[in-house]
């Protein structure tokens, strides 16, 4: 299943008291303090549709980072926006929010090993020491394998497929931007760094339930919340918290690429480096579009 979205994604006008939105409603900046930065998507998400944001600006001196998730509560029904998404918004119920950290965001599933129990039940069992060592060795071997990040055009999560071209950020053009681009291509950018791209979506599992998945720099972190009721509209939640100061929405194209995107890719394919775009006889607006997206 490939989500088809014709809507232009924006932040909801009802947001935390310390948030300022730009004129297009696609950039959210926390103007003071470290809290009251909770934002929502303007419209409910469709099944498999990713709400993708990029960290634009950081603020040193605070502990903690971005929080992201889903809520079944209509933002316009909230008379007072909670100060924090965790735990305040979650305490209201019908909300599932995940705190992004620098190193540990992937969901680790419990290993299930069948045992000969009564009634043929399958009982969960923790790995023993030797099995843990084997699992660690297997992970290390997988890490040594060459990454195939850019060989697939889509990211697959169960039955959902998402175009990869927007899931990973790019450095701003500069003297050493080609070095930074290599970090993006190898998916080595820390989740909490500037230009990191983080998205949330829900994947249908049955007629009325779904799992919430978080995607960080093109990699699926697993089902962060399971069994979410999908019969009600689900809105994205983004908490611009603490060290994260400013984020912007990245529009993801589903299906066929637009003519604008195809032209941009053609231009990029025939230049040595993005900085060379400045040498082309093109309108300034087109140069900026080719550089940044």
């Amino acid at each position: 299943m490939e989500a088809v979205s014709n809507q232009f994604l924006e932040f909801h006008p009802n947001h935390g008291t310390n948030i300022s939105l730009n004129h297009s409603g696609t950039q959210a900046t926390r103007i003071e303090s470290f809290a009251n930065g909770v934002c929502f998507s303007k419209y409910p998400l469709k099944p498999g549709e990713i709400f993708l944001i990029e960290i634009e600006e950081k603020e040193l001196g605070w502990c903690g980072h971005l929080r992201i998730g889903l809520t079944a509560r209509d933002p316009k029904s909230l008379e007072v926006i909670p100060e924090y998404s965790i735990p305040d918004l979650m305490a209201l119920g019908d909300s599932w929010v995940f705190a992004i950290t620098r190193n540990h965001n992937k969901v680790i599933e419990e290993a299930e090993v069948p045992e000969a129990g009564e009634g043929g039940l399958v009982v969960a069992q923790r790995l023993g020491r030797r099995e843990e060592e084997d699992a660690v060795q297997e992970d290390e071997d997988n890490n040594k394998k060459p990454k195939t990040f850019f060989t697939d055009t889509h990211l697959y999560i169960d039955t959902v497929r998402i175009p990869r071209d927007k899931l990973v950020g790019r450095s701003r053009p500069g003297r050493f931007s080609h070095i930074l681009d290599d970090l993006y291509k190898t998916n080595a950018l820390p989740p909490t760094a500037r230009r990191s791209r983080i998205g949330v979506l829900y994947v249908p599992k049955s007629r009325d339930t779904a799992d919430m998945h978080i995607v960080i720099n093109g990699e699926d972190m697993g089902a962060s919340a399971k069994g979410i009721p999908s019969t009600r509209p689900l809105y994205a939640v983004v908490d611009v918290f603490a060290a994260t100061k400013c984020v912007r929405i990245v529009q993801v194209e589903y299906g066929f690429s637009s003519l604008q995107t195809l032209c941009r890719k053609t231009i990029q394919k025939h230049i040595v480096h993005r900085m060379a775009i400045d040498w082309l006889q093109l309108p300034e607006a087109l140069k900026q579009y080719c550089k940044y997206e």
Side-chain angles (χ1 to χ4, degrees), residues 44-55:
L45 299 183
K46 298 176 181 178
E49 180 182 27
I50 188 169
F51 191 84
L52 183 66
I53 57 97
E54 179 178 295
I55 299 176

Side-chain angles (χ1 to χ4, degrees), residues 200-219:
V200 63
L201 70 151
Y202 67 93
V203 178
K205 301 299 289 186
S206 67
R207 190 172 65 177
D208 52 4
T209 63
D211 290 351
M212 181 180 80
H213 284 251
I214 292 174
V215 176
I216 300 179
N217 293 323
E219 183 181 1

Side-chain angles (χ1 to χ4, degrees), residues 185-196:
K185 289 178 181 178
T186 57
N187 204 20
L189 189 70
T192 57
R194 292 176 68 246
R195 307 301 166 216
S196 178

Side-chain angles (χ1 to χ4, degrees), residues 175-188:
R175 186 177 179 184
F176 301 107
S177 59
H178 62 289
I179 300 176
L180 294 176
D181 279 343
D182 287 338
L183 293 178
Y184 289 85
K185 289 178 181 178
T186 57
N187 204 20

